[in-house]
Amino acid sequence: MKHTIKELEDIASQIRRDIVRMVHGCQSGHPGASLGCADFFTALYFEVLNHKTDFTMEGAGEDLFFLSNGHISPVWYSTLAHAGYFDKSELATFRKLDSRLQGHPTTHEHLPGIRIASGSLGQGLSVAIGAALAKKLNGDKSHIFALLGDGELQEGQNWEAAMFAPFNKVDHLIASIDYNGQQIDGPTSKVLALDSLQAKFEAFGWHVINTDGNDMQAIVEGLHYAKTLTGKGKPILNLMSTQMGAGVDYMMGTHKWHGTAPNDEQLAAALAQLPETLGDY
Amino acid sequence: MKKYTYTEKKDTRSGFGAGLHEAGKKNENVVALCADLVGSLKMDAFIKDFPERFTQVGIAEANMIGIAAGMTIGGKIPFTGTFANFSTGRVYDQIRQSVAYSNKNVKICASHAGLTLGEDGATHQILEDIGLMKMLPGMVVINPCDYNQTKAATMAIAEYEGPVYLRFGRPVIPVFTDPDQKFEIGKAWMVNEGTDVTIIATGHMVWKAIEAGEKLAELGIDAEIINIHTIKPLDDEAILKSVKKTGCVVTCEEHNKFGGLGESVARLLTTELPTPQEFVATNDTFGESGTPDQLMSKYGLDAVNIVEAVQKVIGRKK
Ligand SMILES: Cc1ncc(C[n+]2csc(CCOP(=O)(O)OP(=O)(O)O)c2C)c(N)n1
């Protein structure tokens, strides 16, 4: 391991502080699932991903990551900044005029670390598959990671992609689902239940693993384990259970903080629960 | 009127297939994807020679566009193939976000555009695709006029870096352009020089414009005919130069007059050189089943319709 679990948890704590401060700073954005995925992003970028912060679009010889649920951009931006892609001071520009940190991730402003626009849900798995096919043609054995929301799986294009990847043996692909059970209008179980995602993906031919996305040790081990499963003819699906709002007590266990910014008081209450470990931007 | 003849008739989609094959031979980064319409898109030669560079996506056009966008990240030049309707309207948001906004080097290649798809009827006959595609920032829109031009255009877009929409069709039509032509994106082709009216045509309507030009010559009208194969970026210079000379214009396209080539020309002229213009195009309507010839006639896309439009627009000149 490059870091101890404690070090990774400290990074995740700082990323969570950044998330609530960024969303508070522009009074918009999506804190809920950003917080829920902070441990995943930390594990991915600081432990699992073979990547260079000296960014190239192609990323030859590097593992690539695609975010399909682009609304959780705050967690990605903060992670990229702390990983060294750009200066963390830029986080203060999130969602503001002329910023490279657009509301949803984009290549349009050339922010290092981003390879495709997302925000309109349901497109990222297809893109990740395409990137994996190109790597295969290039003889590049690196891994392709993708993250999708669970509510996002209601979009049909995901199932086109889910059918395609196993049939075509796209086996350097590790897709994680942010299985927080929430979406905008309520719990996914009430909006349009996903029911037995494991069985669904297995029926399509994926190798499915389950991880606890808010346990640093578990998520690091889970992603490393997922890597060992690649190259064996099947794409890997990491069904990762998380808590929306994880780390901020009043935001947890509800869809209410999917896309709501905290006010000053709420910000203070959140920051009191999240130790400043690497220095605020 | 310059004389145009032809010895054979071919479909523009076969020009695409031949061009794709050539582009594949020239550049190993050229890859092709198809959504269960390989035969219709004439991709067989490419697939035979480069099986590993072809991806059969199945009937999943949204996934195809996303995969194509992803493949560009590894330096590939993906050509996607399906019918024009399923290449555009079906996947508009995928193209918008994953291709256009992300500025990915994807070539969206669309066959069976317009009424000449024929018997399948309106569900398959898109007459709105030029409008949909030209509205996307950065998207190049090309509608070539015969087999040779389509082949040349296909090879040219492989060498151009950026998203392109290439529109072609199903029926066999005269092959009348130079087989060795160099296709320049955004550059109009002067089909015939004239002085009385400018006829601007794209796609299958170019041959009809030539037929119309011959009829007009018999009536003593000297028509300038320009082929605009690239609707975006539009060759402003060529159009303005011609219209300055002739003082009136007729645009011809196998597309709705809302959102097509004609509107692009009107936008240019209304700001630079207000000029009487008539539109030979479909008029805010869906198509229907029939043979290509029957449909072109019923929906007013024949040489006689161009002749009538020319007479009308000349009458409007001051
Ligand atoms: C195609 C599309 N439809 C609707 C939306 C609006 N939208 C943004 S996030 C969201 C809910 C997504 O749910 P989920 O994937 O579970 O993410 P989470 O709520 O966990 O953040 C919706 C409906 C969108 N961005 N894209």
Side-chain angles (χ1 to χ4, degrees):
Chain A
M1 289 216 358
K2 297 172 202 149
H3 300 84
T4 64
I5 293 298
K6 170 76 171 67
E7 283 166 351
L8 292 171
E9 284 169 350
D10 284 350
I11 296 170
S13 177
Q14 185 65 50
I15 290 172
R16 287 192 162 93
R17 282 182 73 86
D18 291 350
I19 292 166
V20 284
R21 292 182 67 238
M22 286 163 75
V23 172
H24 172 263
C26 59
Q27 282 299 298
S28 74
H30 300 79
S34 294
L35 290 165
C37 290
D39 304 306
F40 168 82
F41 273 83
T42 305
L44 186 68
Y45 273 84
F46 291 87
E47 207 51 47
V48 178
L49 212 58
N50 171 30
H51 67 120
K52 296 195 196 105
T53 54
D54 189 5
F55 179 72
T56 62
M57 179 53 74
E58 181 166 347
E62 293 179 61
D63 294 340
L64 308 184
F65 170 69
F66 293 95
L67 179 69
S68 190
N69 45 337
H71 60 279
I72 70 167
S73 56
V75 64
W76 198 12
Y77 294 152
S78 170
T79 304
L80 288 172
H82 289 292
Y85 282 85
F86 51 86
D87 197 273
K88 68 182 179 190
S89 63
E90 202 169 341
L91 296 176
T93 69
F94 174 58
R95 282 185 173 238
K96 293 183 177 160
L97 195 65
D98 297 328
S99 174
R100 297 196 294 178
L101 280 59
Q102 290 289 298
H104 294 80
T106 169
T107 55
H108 201 257
E109 273 68 34
H110 306 289
L111 187 70
I114 314 280
R115 293 191 164 85
I116 193 106
S118 59
S120 175
L121 294 167
Q123 301 185 29
L125 189 55
S126 303
V127 173
I129 289 169
L133 291 180
K135 280 216 183 274
K136 205 174 209 172
L137 281 171
N138 292 339
D140 181 344
K141 294 233 152 42
S142 311
H143 297 87
I144 304 288
F145 289 85
L147 179 66
L148 289 70
D150 53 357
E152 185 185 7
L153 292 177
Q154 291 155 0
E155 286 285 357
Q157 186 180 344
N158 288 306
W159 301 98
E160 297 180 3
M163 197 184 293
F164 179 96
F167 179 75
N168 288 282
K169 300 198 168 34
V170 183
D171 59 2
H172 280 75
L173 172 66
I174 302 169
S176 295
I177 306 296
D178 175 24
Y179 204 0
N180 61 17
Q182 309 287 349
Q183 56 189 106
I184 291 188
D185 283 350
T188 48
S189 60
K190 294 249 169 66
V191 176
L192 180 61
L194 301 164
D195 286 347
S196 45
L197 278 181
Q198 170 144 6
K200 284 186 171 118
F201 274 90
E202 280 175 351
F204 277 77
W206 290 65
H207 188 130
V208 180
I209 63 169
N210 289 272
T211 56
D212 179 345
N214 293 132
D215 177 331
M216 190 61 79
Q217 179 95 36
I219 189 64
V220 169
E221 282 172 7
L223 289 175
H224 277 311
Y225 174 57
K227 267 192 160 181
T228 68
L229 297 173
T230 59
K232 299 192 169 127
K234 286 187 176 193
I236 316 303
L237 188 89
N238 171 28
L239 210 46
M240 178 175 75
S241 52
T242 64
Q243 274 265 14
M244 185 170 266
V248 176
D249 54 9
Y250 65 84
M251 290 190 183
M252 285 164 62
T254 166
H255 63 276
K256 301 243 158 59
W257 290 93
H258 161 93
T260 308
N263 61 25
D264 293 350
E265 223 172 289
Q266 290 162 333
L267 174 70
L271 293 179
Q273 302 168 43
L274 300 168
E276 181 182 347
T277 49
L278 307 177
D280 287 341
Y281 62 81
Chain B
M1 171 78 195
K2 194 170 160 187
K3 192 82 197 136
Y4 284 91
T5 53
Y6 64 92
T7 51
E8 57 175 343
K9 287 182 164 192
K10 283 186 179 181
D11 45 0
T12 50
R13 58 189 166 135
S14 287
F16 164 70
L20 178 66
H21 189 213
E22 288 302 316
K25 284 192 239 171
K26 268 181 112 170
N27 186 341
E28 63 172 27
N29 279 324
V30 169
V31 298
L33 301 92
C34 191
D36 200 25
L37 285 168
V38 161
S40 295
L41 269 287
K42 305 291 179 190
M43 286 177 156
D44 317 74
F46 181 93
I47 297 169
K48 183 167 167 284
D49 280 358
F50 312 110
E52 73 293 349
R53 280 154 55 191
F54 171 72
T55 303
Q56 170 59 267
V57 183
I59 314 158
E61 295 79 11
N63 194 35
M64 176 165 74
I65 296 297
I67 290 176
M71 291 185 89
T72 66
I73 292 167
K76 302 301 160 202
I77 307 169
F79 283 65
T80 65
T82 179
F83 291 163
N85 187 29
F86 314 138
S87 292
T88 58
R90 175 92 194 187
V91 289
Y92 196 66
D93 187 44
Q94 283 78 12
I95 295 176
R96 184 174 180 277
Q97 173 169 283
S98 294
V99 178
Y101 184 42
S102 294
N103 192 27
K104 295 303 183 202
N105 194 20
V106 176
K107 316 304 170 187
I108 298 158
C109 302
S111 185
H112 294 54
L115 292 171
T116 49
L117 168 143
E119 294 78 355
D120 275 343
T123 53
H124 288 50
Q125 291 160 339
I126 193 161
L127 295 163
E128 309 93 51
D129 54 323
I130 292 175
L132 287 172
M133 290 297 112
K134 79 176 187 182
M135 282 206 293
L136 289 170
M139 182 67 75
V140 167
V141 178
I142 300 175
N143 187 191
C145 67
D146 76 347
Y147 174 95
N148 289 336
Q149 195 181 65
T150 310
K151 181 178 173 191
T154 306
M155 290 159 68
I157 63 175
E159 283 168 24
Y160 167 84
E161 171 87 30
V164 175
Y165 178 59
L166 182 68
R167 174 193 214 240
F168 42 90
R170 172 172 181 243
V172 291
I173 56 154
V175 180
F176 58 96
T177 70
D178 180 1
D180 303 314
Q181 67 193 278
K182 172 111 185 71
F183 188 93
E184 258 187 87
I185 295 170
K187 204 97 197 123
W189 169 45
M190 179 61 75
V191 180
N192 186 59
E193 291 192 40
T195 52
D196 296 336
V197 61
T198 301
I199 300 175
I200 299 177
T202 196
H204 292 149
M205 294 304 288
V206 178
W207 182 254
K208 305 244 179 212
I210 290 171
E211 290 177 335
E214 285 163 1
K215 291 201 177 95
L216 288 164
E218 288 166 19
L219 299 171
I221 296 171
D222 180 18
E224 178 141 306
I225 304 174
I226 295 177
N227 167 219
I228 290 287
H229 47 64
T230 309
I231 293 148
K232 189 183 164 195
L234 196 64
D235 190 343
D236 295 1
E237 210 185 304
I239 293 170
L240 290 172
K241 192 171 158 211
S242 173
V243 169
K244 252 181 213 142
K245 178 171 63 172
T246 64
C248 64
V249 58
V250 170
T251 50
C252 315
E253 59 195 309
E254 190 185 342
H255 187 273
N256 193 349
K257 70 180 181 187
F258 296 178
L261 166 69
E263 275 196 357
S264 287
V265 171
R267 175 197 47 76
L268 170 71
L269 294 179
T270 202
T271 47
E272 300 290 330
L273 185 68
T275 306
Q277 178 178 351
E278 291 292 330
F279 296 74
V280 175
T282 60
N283 185 12
D284 198 22
T285 181
F286 292 104
E288 64 182 287
S289 292
T291 67
D293 285 347
Q294 287 169 337
L295 293 165
M296 293 296 266
S297 160
K298 175 163 178 180
Y299 288 85
L301 301 183
D302 266 337
V304 3
N305 306 103
I306 301 175
V307 170
E308 279 167 16
V310 165
Q311 288 169 323
K312 190 168 170 201
V313 85
I314 287 178
R316 289 172 57 203
K317 274 208 259 187
K318 295 217 178 70

